[in-house]
Amino acid sequence: MRRRPGIGGLQTAAAARDQYRLLGENVAKLRTDLMKEQLATFRSQLEEFARKHKNDIRKNPAFRSQFHEMCAKVGVDPLASNKGFWAELLGIGDFYYELGVQIVEICLSTRPLNGGLIDLQELCKLLRQKRKHDREAVSEDDCLRAISKLKTLGSGFEVISAGKKKLVRSVPTELKKDHNEILELAQAQGYVTVDEVERRLSWTHGRAIDALDTLLDEGLAMIDDGHSDGKRRYWFPCVSSISSFGADS
Amino acid sequence: MQKLGDFKLPHFFNYPPYFTLQPVRETREKQVQLWKDLILDYCRTQKIFIIGLEEEFPLFSNPVIERTLSHEAREAFFSALVSEGRAEWLDKGHRKCLILWHRIQDWAGIILNFVKDNGFEDSVMTVEEIRSGIESRGTELHGIDRTILMRALKILEQKGKLAIFKGTSADDEGVKFSV
């Protein structure tokens, strides 16, 4: 039957459109509901997992780091706030908050000795000494996490890489590429000489002196004129394991 | 950790640059502070009262890392002690230094406590007895430098806590307590 245009036809078409829209809305709602349900299930399972392995998460640094990775993958940040389910359940917000405070303390107390640059391993060692009464072990991963939380304070805490080492910077000095290269070079023996810098990095004398003088002024280097060969050595407490010696007394 | 006899040396003693006086002010201040503490600590535990800056002294060099304090560094550390009243130059050339890990007035206090603890409030003692007698054995006064002891006694004399009287020779100077 041929349909003619008319008021009836228009109304039928409008009704059909409405129904399609309704149907479409229903489908979409169903999908979101399903999604919500899945997320809820996931969340509750993650919660259950966390509850079940609460002690492992607290005590075992490797486990803790894997748990963090898992959380990150599904977009949950257990450290985002100190309130809320995660912090209440695990107390890990407090844990990292405490670590952060202790890291700041260590960085400040060793700053006169190392110029505000400390080896991450050394920092961890001092942190463990400081926390020897706590049962929970602390890993480098935990330190890094705590430091990343400190960044939000805008206080210039940052982790930089120099060669194989990770260094934690607690002063707002920007290290230039030249300085970084010297720090990298110094890791072998704990010190460099002007000659070495010129030779190994193929720099001019002026460039080497300039970079070393800056590092000296920043308190990151110390000179040593006591060697029998008469050559001045520039030592870098931040790459020697003794960057913290005065601080342990 | 490295030791000198029964004295535990701090870590920095094994870090070569601490034997060179640092050119940057802040680094140097920290360096001087560490050395001052070390010198006072060492002298207190080893009962050393006089240090000759140009003489051998266990803290002046570390054979393990083959470093020796330069004269400039020695003078800087001891001048810092002098300026804080923890040491005094014994000569104009700054070659000999009297170490006061207790200030003179603190030594005077120690003497007073010693007198009270032993019931010597009205007694007479020779200076030598205070330094090396049985009574002072085991106290901080045992083996005290004579110059320091005399100066502490003079402070107490001025306060009327005692009277110093001369014997026939320097050895038998006596003290009459009246605490």
Side-chain angles (χ1 to χ4, degrees):
Chain A
M1 187 182 95
R2 197 178 84 91
R3 299 195 57 152
R4 294 157 180 259
I7 204 109
L10 284 175
Q11 276 170 346
T12 328
R17 254 200 323 272
D18 270 356
Q19 283 194 343
Y20 278 130
R21 191 175 45 79
L22 261 172
L23 192 67
E25 274 173 5
N26 270 338
V27 170
K29 190 171 175 296
L30 261 168
R31 278 206 188 147
T32 18
D33 283 354
L34 199 69
M35 198 88 104
K36 271 184 190 158
E37 205 182 299
Q38 277 178 344
L39 272 177
T41 319
F42 187 82
R43 194 187 133 105
S44 75
Q45 281 186 351
L46 195 63
E47 283 175 12
E48 202 185 308
F49 176 86
R51 202 172 282 134
K52 219 160 128 189
H53 297 282
K54 187 172 160 181
N55 279 338
D56 289 315
I57 293 171
R58 274 201 189 152
K59 283 184 196 148
N60 182 343
F63 199 95
R64 187 158 56 230
S65 118
Q66 278 173 358
F67 176 72
H68 275 299
E69 236 169 76
M70 200 166 77
C71 287
K73 274 190 189 135
V74 296
V76 173
D77 183 1
L79 300 180
S81 150
N82 216 10
K83 288 176 200 141
F85 163 76
W86 293 101
E88 273 167 37
L89 177 66
L90 298 170
I92 47 179
D94 280 339
F95 171 75
Y96 285 102
Y97 173 68
E98 199 180 288
L99 274 194
V101 172
Q102 287 167 337
I103 287 172
V104 173
E105 278 172 10
I106 292 171
C107 287
L108 287 183
S109 70
T110 58
R111 194 180 280 175
L113 301 160
N114 56 30
L117 205 56
I118 186 168
D119 183 10
L120 179 63
Q121 285 174 4
E122 184 71 12
L123 177 64
C124 281
K125 204 180 98 196
L126 289 172
L127 200 56
R128 286 187 203 114
Q129 273 172 22
K130 217 180 171 78
R131 302 174 57 86
K132 56 176 176 262
H133 302 299
D134 290 292
R135 288 167 307 154
E136 297 105 334
V138 180
S139 68
E140 283 183 19
D141 183 74
D142 290 328
C143 281
L144 290 175
R145 253 170 237 290
I147 292 165
S148 76
K149 293 293 153 191
L150 288 177
K151 234 181 257 176
T152 49
L153 295 176
S155 54
F157 274 80
E158 201 181 10
V159 181
I160 56 174
S161 303
K164 285 171 284 172
K165 280 187 192 289
K166 283 203 173 79
L167 303 174
V168 180
R169 198 188 61 174
S170 61
V171 283
T173 346
E174 203 68 58
L175 278 184
K176 293 205 185 82
K177 195 169 149 288
D178 279 10
H179 305 144
N180 221 313
E181 279 180 64
I182 290 179
L183 285 179
E184 212 173 313
L185 192 61
Q187 278 171 36
Q189 297 165 293
Y191 69 85
V192 295
T193 62
V194 179
D195 276 1
E196 245 169 13
V197 173
E198 286 174 40
R199 206 178 55 240
R200 297 278 299 279
L201 302 176
S202 317
W203 288 1
T204 60
H205 185 73
R207 184 172 173 190
I209 291 281
D210 201 49
L212 286 169
D213 275 351
T214 309
L215 288 166
L216 214 57
D217 283 340
E218 298 288 350
L220 293 172
M222 291 178 83
I223 56 161
D224 164 29
D225 293 335
H227 194 273
S228 51
D229 67 9
K231 279 187 190 156
R232 172 171 286 189
R233 283 153 169 71
Y234 291 78
W235 290 80
F236 297 88
C238 60
V239 298
S240 316
S241 59
I242 32 180
S243 64
S244 46
F245 35 75
D248 53 5
S249 51
Chain B
M1 196 173 301
Q2 205 179 333
K3 283 187 170 186
L4 268 180
D6 55 355
F7 186 78
K8 231 167 108 184
L9 287 161
H11 288 294
F12 84 83
F13 195 70
N14 278 325
Y15 199 51
Y18 276 91
F19 283 80
T20 301
L21 195 61
Q22 293 303 307
V24 177
R25 192 174 54 87
E26 277 167 41
T27 318
R28 185 173 60 239
E29 276 169 8
K30 186 68 198 178
Q31 178 193 24
V32 170
Q33 185 62 46
L34 287 170
W35 275 100
K36 277 191 313 201
D37 293 347
L38 174 61
I39 292 167
L40 287 180
D41 253 12
Y42 185 75
C43 289
R44 176 167 46 232
T45 55
Q46 311 298 311
K47 295 210 170 224
I48 293 164
F49 293 90
I50 292 170
I51 296 179
L53 263 66
E54 280 157 15
E55 287 156 31
E56 292 272 319
F57 186 64
L59 292 181
F60 286 168
S61 50
N62 184 352
V64 176
I65 55 165
E66 297 177 331
R67 290 296 184 277
T68 299
L69 278 180
S70 65
H71 184 80
E72 183 199 19
R74 293 177 199 189
E75 169 116 19
F77 302 156
F78 283 91
S79 296
L81 283 172
V82 169
S83 70
E84 279 173 29
R86 307 316 294 261
E88 280 172 20
W89 294 117
L90 290 173
D91 59 336
K92 274 189 188 157
H94 292 189
R95 278 189 300 271
K96 263 191 184 320
C97 204
L98 184 69
I99 310 296
L100 300 167
W101 64 83
H102 292 309
R103 293 185 171 84
I104 301 284
Q105 57 267 42
D106 297 335
W107 278 115
I110 291 169
I111 294 169
L112 276 187
N113 284 334
F114 166 75
V115 168
K116 285 175 190 159
D117 288 348
N118 289 282
F120 292 153
E121 278 90 342
D122 298 304
S123 309
V124 175
M125 280 181 98
T126 67
V127 170
E128 239 357 84
E129 269 177 323
I130 298 175
R131 290 185 62 220
S132 51
I134 301 168
E135 289 82 4
S136 70
R137 206 161 287 168
T139 72
E140 285 192 287
L141 289 176
H142 196 79
I144 185 177
D145 176 77
R146 198 182 169 89
T147 321
I148 295 177
L149 178 59
M150 288 315 293
R151 287 193 20 211
L153 289 174
K154 291 237 168 67
I155 287 187
L156 292 173
E157 189 178 35
Q158 279 161 16
K159 287 185 180 166
K161 304 275 187 193
L162 54 81
I164 302 171
F165 54 88
K166 288 242 188 291
T168 45
S169 74
D171 277 355
D172 55 1
E173 262 174 314
V175 178
K176 164 88 174 78
F177 294 112
S178 51
V179 178

